[in-house]
Amino acid sequence: MRAAERQRMLPGPWSLDTPTAVGVPVLVVTGGWHEEYETIAAAVPEARRVTLHGHGHRPQDHPDAASVVSTFIAELPR
């Protein structure tokens, strides 16, 4: 927790001239294994956030990952 809080307070490259809203749908998928990643993911504005536990830093290897992405894409306005 302390490392995530410290990192959050440091200016990162993503914070330099980055708009608070990007104007496009955003899906953020995390593995729920590292608090720092979860803190950063929670700060992404207007993003749909999904946590897929059990595959560490590789949530894309989770059996539900393809379904999460497919559902997100299917729900996009056309």
Side-chain angles (χ1 to χ4, degrees), residues 2-12 14 36 39-40 43:
R2 223 179 296 165
E5 187 64 25
R6 180 179 56 81
Q7 184 66 35
R8 189 176 62 77
M9 297 181 81
L10 295 173
W14 58 86
E36 184 175 356
T39 299
I40 294 167

Side-chain angles (χ1 to χ4, degrees), residues 24-78:
V24 296
V26 176
L27 172 65
V28 176
V29 180
T30 59
W33 71 282
H34 195 290
E35 196 167 330
E36 184 175 356
Y37 292 160
E38 300 306 314
T39 299
I40 294 167
V44 177
E46 300 178 14
R48 179 178 305 170
R49 190 167 161 227
V50 177
T51 303
L52 298 174
H53 296 276
H55 289 273
H57 72 283
R58 294 187 53 88
Q60 68 271 23
D61 292 339
H62 191 283
D64 295 336
S67 173
V68 165
V69 174
S70 296
T71 299
F72 177 76
I73 292 170
E75 293 175 353
L76 292 174
R78 301 205 185 260

